[in-house]
Amino acid sequence: MAPRPSNARKRLRLGVGCALLLLVGSGSRAHSPVTAAAPDAVDSHASEPREPSAPTNLAFQRVTTGDIVGDGGWSFGHAWGDANGDGCLDLIVCSIVAGQLNLFYRSNCDGTFDKVTGALPVEMGPSTSATWGDFDNDGDADLFVANGGTGGAARNSLYRNGGAGSFTKLTASAPVTQELSSTATSWVDVDRDGRLDLFVGRSGGSNELFLNAGGGTFTRIALPDQGETWGVAWADYDNDGDPDCFAANWGRANDLYRNDDGILVRVFSEPIVQGSHNSVSGSWGDYDNDGDLDLFVANSGARDRLFRNEGGSFHEVLEGAIVERIANSESSCWADFDHDGDLDLVVSGGGNVSLGYISLYENRGDSTFDQITTGELVQTRGRFEGASCVDYDNDGDLDLFFSNYAGLDNVLFRNDGSAGRWVSIGLEGTTSNRSALGARLHLKATIAGVPRWQVREVSAQAGHVAQGDPRVHFGLGDAAVVDTLRIVWPSGGVDVVTDLQVDRFHRIVEGLGPTPVGVRELHAEHTERGVRLTWKLSHGVRRELAGVQVQRARRLADLFESITVAPLIPAVRMSFEDTSAMPGSSSWYRLLLDFHDGSRVLTRAVRANGQAQRPQALSLQVEPTAPGAIRIRYTLAQAGTPVVLEVFDIKGRRVRLLEDSVHDSGGFSVEWDGLDEFGQAVPRGVYVVRLQAGRAALARKAPLLQR
């Protein structure tokens, strides 16, 4: 074990030419296919699970059909993300064995998956982990795959998503130009500049941070310590608005770094970094619902550890079901599986040492847990590397996926035991990074007659080499409505939503979400003198309000500027006229509310559109030309028209992007060969061809005949 530095604080600013202290490790993790124990080996250090002291509402059913559970062999990390923008989560699974293909499954949005072959990002390993994130802020999820690990040195892979799950591999970008042995990886906006940065852990070398400089370029920062970092988890543990970092290290003390506005300060005084363990991963979650994020650490050959966050300082929990077992734990994730308003915990174990358990801990609601010992989930044995909590079937509860090692198939469990109400929130940043990584959500709902707050944070990685559901999930018990949802974005902006409907998926765009409490009917419309804004205030808000700022931007993604402070008058309806706006121009407006208690709230943004343009698409015709092929004809009235031509199936899922360019006026013809985005033939049936030309849109049914 490397000696722990004695200096209590080290500061290094992020930037080009600067050194940066971050998570690293030393030693070597024996985790190779060659030295794996036999499949029937049993962990002699693992104690038997204890009996639960109360009945459970948790029930999981193992999925036994489909490639997603029939493949595997030497799977390591995995990551869930919406690759083609259809609102359903797809899955990449990494193979640790050199020469074995990684696995990619595209969701059919009905709980089943199609295995994708012969197209990116399906390539050979050895791969250890993957992470989805929109690093170029163009609205779709890009993918980074860390290669090497225990399989030897290799170049990493970075795939840029061109839309609808069509990927281009970048080969000259800084994160993929070296041949090294990479382990854990995660996207994160370290400096909150609205662009995702990338952390890459190493085995036997220096960990690295790649700062996103925009335009697809990154600045590489080699970190001074040595690697053997097998788990990385980012979260704002001190509630100051920026992401902090925990690193799980094999063979030496773990690392905790506090982020002070882009300055990472290494923390030495907390029990999290005391002692040396073979730690494999960490997961953040507010299990006691006190408003700050606690930490679970999975260890191999030692007791797992649980640290309760008490206002930015940590207290180690030394008693209870979670910390009683000595086993070879690997991964973990927090989730409210039973929808009662508090976080439960799942832990996977085994690795290449022995067959391991899946441990499930149900939160009693008083900061203690029952270990569940009945049911197929906890009786299943394997060598589980990654564990993720994900609503793969979009039914409103969180299911479980485990990537399995040492020649075993991967494992998927469907959650059938969630009777309570729920809400799922998908976020999209505008001023913040598009993936909204680092956003903090505070939700208030009345459960069993008691108003309760819950906290979640959007992050790209949890546990060991696993990325779960990018949407934020809350269990709500018997709550009929969400009283308040407060979103603190990485940019510092705040959106507040009230009376949010339960048992639904919601998507909220930064600055464009539902109107916050107290503000209703915000409108913007052109007048002869400029743009008039009108809105209504509730009586309670008028008493608490200190001022209202009107902010404007040319585009939603631009920075908003304050153009006036609207006068506070004793009236329910208020208005403001922007006489500086050019007639016919298009602008976005929003309000910044300043309250007497010092708090500030941003409303959603509304748009004052410019003058309407005449339709630019005149006609669209579709006809089958041969079995398995369709000809599409269309005409345009105006030169310079942006055209998007797409094919959808009858469920509304995009099958193929045929055109995305600027056209002259006239007639055009396009042939669709019946193949999808990945070059696979689609089944016969009725499809829909949609033409977007400027602001006009036309759609036609397209029957595809048998080949």
Side-chain angles (χ1 to χ4, degrees), residues 74 92-104 116-129 145-149 151-159 169:
W74 292 96
I92 180 79
V93 181
C94 299
S95 172
I96 192 63
V97 176
Q100 188 174 92
L101 285 171
N102 293 330
L103 305 171
F104 184 52
V116 177
T117 59
L120 296 177
V122 179
E123 291 193 288
M124 296 289 186
S127 300
T128 52
S129 62
V145 177
N147 295 322
R155 290 195 177 199
N156 297 320
S157 300
L158 179 60
Y159 304 96
K169 187 175 182 179

Side-chain angles (χ1 to χ4, degrees), residues 174 192 201 302 350 416 442 576 664:
R192 295 189 300 166
D416 289 336
H442 305 256
F576 167 75
D664 292 329

